[in-house]
Amino acid sequence: MTGAVSPPPLKRRKLAAEIPAPPATKASVTVDLYSWNVNGIGPFIHRSIKSFFKSTTKPQSSSDATSPSLRDFLRSHSWPTFLFLQEVKTRADDTQTRRAVQRAVSRQAGEAEGTPDYVAHFTLPKDPHNTRGFGGKVYGVCSIVRKDFSEKYVERVRDVAWDQEGRFSVIETKAVGDVPKMAIYNVYMVNGTNNPYKDASIGEVKGTRHDRKLAVHALLAAECRKLVSERYEVIVAGDINIARAPLDSHPNLRTSPQQHVSNRQDFERRFIARPACKAPAGDDQPPPDDVPPSRMIGLGMVDVFRNLHPSTKAYSYYPRGRPFGSSCDRVDMIMCTPSLAASCTAASILATPGDRGPSDHVPIQASFAFEGVEIAGDG
């Protein structure tokens, strides 16, 4: 008699706790920042009358092909995170222009689903004594931020208490994953001249625009230092109104009158120099003038273009009324705190005919790459 066959053992069900969760991954995050002194926002939101008379058959010249559309600029540069504009020349009470800019950067009818949207933040002149030129349409900055980044990272956008000329806007972000907490400045620094600077409250002359430039250096450096003490990484981007070294000017670095040399020294001392007098890694350019080591007490910020391109001749300002390239300076910069410099993967100056636009400045750009935010694997 054949023995009974035992049934196969029951399979033990794996408990959910025993099933390993898929590993978490990290999504990379790239912050692309463009900055441009546009020398007036008007051409970017109002269609030129010449465009109504262009022939449909005549080939366009390189200047005709340059589009001043803000939306086109954002699209052609792959929808950057930020576009900082300086010298927008808009009055504080001009709500119509602000609305027009917001429309110009917003998602347009007919664009594909998921095309990025943007929000525009203005900082405009409120000083009644130093911003009266052109009916108050002087200075002013606009910070254009991609909406998806703003909603996830931006905590607030603010002005600074010590400036009423509409020169400074600050975007403060929160830390998310490996993306650090940042304070990102859109700046239009003072141009040093012998013109009078007046007290913003009472209109009394308090010195020259050179004096005001040095005061602004001190005020901005002190605010940046405070933010660093609060564990912010700091980026300063915009028109600095300083050419740092002979490499940054063609045909010559401006050294007359002497006050321009003093302004340059002060900028280097406060922002670029390190307490130990060491140059940032990869930046082999010495200070442009002879600053005594005892005065090297700066923030140690890194000029990202010069850090990545230590010997490249490239310029961002081309005065009008002269042949293009015959006289030019690199006065527009993006600087960051030293620990953030390692995340800077690219920096460029966009001086091609297609990028120049209607301004006497050309755009500049920098990219910062971070590993980003942990994303749990699919279970």
Side-chain angles (χ1 to χ4, degrees):
M1 178 178 171
T2 306
V5 178
S6 301
L10 293 173
K11 288 185 179 179
R12 187 167 65 91
R13 292 176 62 192
K14 258 189 176 181
L15 299 175
E18 296 178 294
I19 300 174
T25 59
K26 284 192 174 182
S28 62
V29 176
T30 299
V31 173
D32 287 318
L33 193 162
Y34 284 76
S35 177
W36 194 359
N37 180 323
V38 292
N39 194 17
I41 197 68
F44 293 84
I45 55 175
H46 302 303
R47 190 177 177 189
S48 169
I49 191 169
K50 291 188 292 185
S51 67
F52 291 97
F53 300 99
K54 285 180 182 175
S55 166
T56 57
T57 57
K58 181 182 175 183
Q60 289 181 323
S61 69
S62 60
S63 60
D64 288 339
T66 300
S67 170
S69 161
L70 289 174
R71 188 73 180 172
D72 284 348
F73 183 91
L74 295 167
R75 180 185 296 106
S76 66
H77 294 290
S78 303
W79 308 115
T81 318
F82 300 104
L83 172 58
F84 286 177
L85 307 177
Q86 300 91 41
E87 203 174 354
V88 295
K89 294 183 178 179
T90 302
R91 295 192 315 272
D93 61 354
D94 187 351
T95 56
Q96 183 177 354
T97 293
R98 279 182 281 172
R99 285 196 298 266
V101 171
Q102 183 58 65
R103 286 194 300 270
V105 301
S106 296
R107 187 182 296 119
Q108 306 294 306
E111 289 183 334
E113 184 71 25
T115 304
D117 206 356
Y118 286 81
V119 59
H121 302 276
F122 280 87
T123 299
L124 300 174
K126 299 185 287 288
D127 183 332
H129 303 290
N130 295 292
T131 59
R132 297 176 63 183
F134 306 101
K137 295 172 67 173
V138 294
Y139 315 140
V141 300
C142 177
S143 301
I144 298 166
V145 188
R146 207 177 62 218
K147 240 181 193 179
D148 62 325
F149 182 90
S150 181
E151 290 169 353
K152 186 169 188 176
Y153 293 95
V154 174
E155 288 202 310
R156 65 169 176 160
V157 181
R158 63 175 175 86
D159 301 342
V160 298
W162 39 266
D163 178 77
Q164 301 297 309
E165 293 187 0
R167 292 180 174 274
F168 298 88
S169 177
V170 191
I171 297 172
E172 293 181 357
T173 71
K174 57 188 175 185
V176 180
D178 289 334
V179 181
K181 183 168 69 168
M182 293 183 285
I184 308 168
Y185 282 79
N186 179 0
V187 306
Y188 178 32
M189 300 288 269
V190 176
N191 183 25
T193 70
N194 286 320
N195 293 331
Y197 173 74
K198 300 176 181 178
D199 183 283
S201 300
I202 61 175
E204 179 185 346
V205 174
K206 304 292 285 187
T208 68
R209 300 295 290 179
H210 284 302
D211 298 322
R212 179 58 183 169
K213 183 175 185 67
L214 295 177
V216 165
H217 283 177
L219 290 161
L220 177 60
E223 186 167 308
C224 289
R225 194 179 302 279
K226 181 176 183 295
L227 287 163
V228 169
S229 73
E230 296 170 357
R231 301 189 180 277
Y232 279 92
E233 296 291 349
V234 177
I235 298 174
V236 175
D239 183 352
I240 306 298
N241 263 315
I242 289 281
R244 292 188 56 207
L247 188 62
D248 300 312
S249 292
H250 174 79
N252 297 302
L253 181 68
R254 187 173 185 179
T255 57
S256 178
Q258 174 65 28
Q259 186 61 49
H260 289 288
V261 176
S262 300
N263 294 346
R264 186 180 305 119
Q265 288 177 332
D266 187 72
F267 172 81
E268 291 288 323
R269 177 173 69 91
R270 293 187 185 279
F271 294 97
I272 304 297
R274 293 189 176 209
C277 310
K278 293 179 181 178
D283 186 352
D284 60 359
Q285 299 302 313
D289 303 293
D290 186 17
V291 182
S294 61
R295 296 182 62 204
M296 296 286 193
I297 55 172
L299 289 159
M301 297 190 82
V302 177
D303 171 356
V304 297
F305 178 84
R306 188 54 69 218
N307 192 47
L308 293 178
H309 309 284
S311 59
T312 299
K313 293 181 179 180
Y315 314 102
S316 63
Y317 170 63
Y318 297 83
R320 289 173 173 170
R322 302 182 187 183
F324 187 86
S326 63
S327 175
C328 38
D329 301 279
R330 187 176 71 93
V331 297
D332 301 85
M333 300 177 213
I334 298 172
M335 308 184 296
C336 67
T337 39
S339 54
L340 193 57
S343 300
C344 184
T345 57
S348 58
I349 298 175
L350 287 66
T352 66
D355 284 312
R356 290 175 199 163
S359 177
D360 49 0
H361 292 247
V362 299
I364 61 172
Q365 173 271 341
S367 296
F368 298 85
F370 308 98
E371 264 194 30
V373 188
E374 282 199 356
I375 300 175
D378 295 331

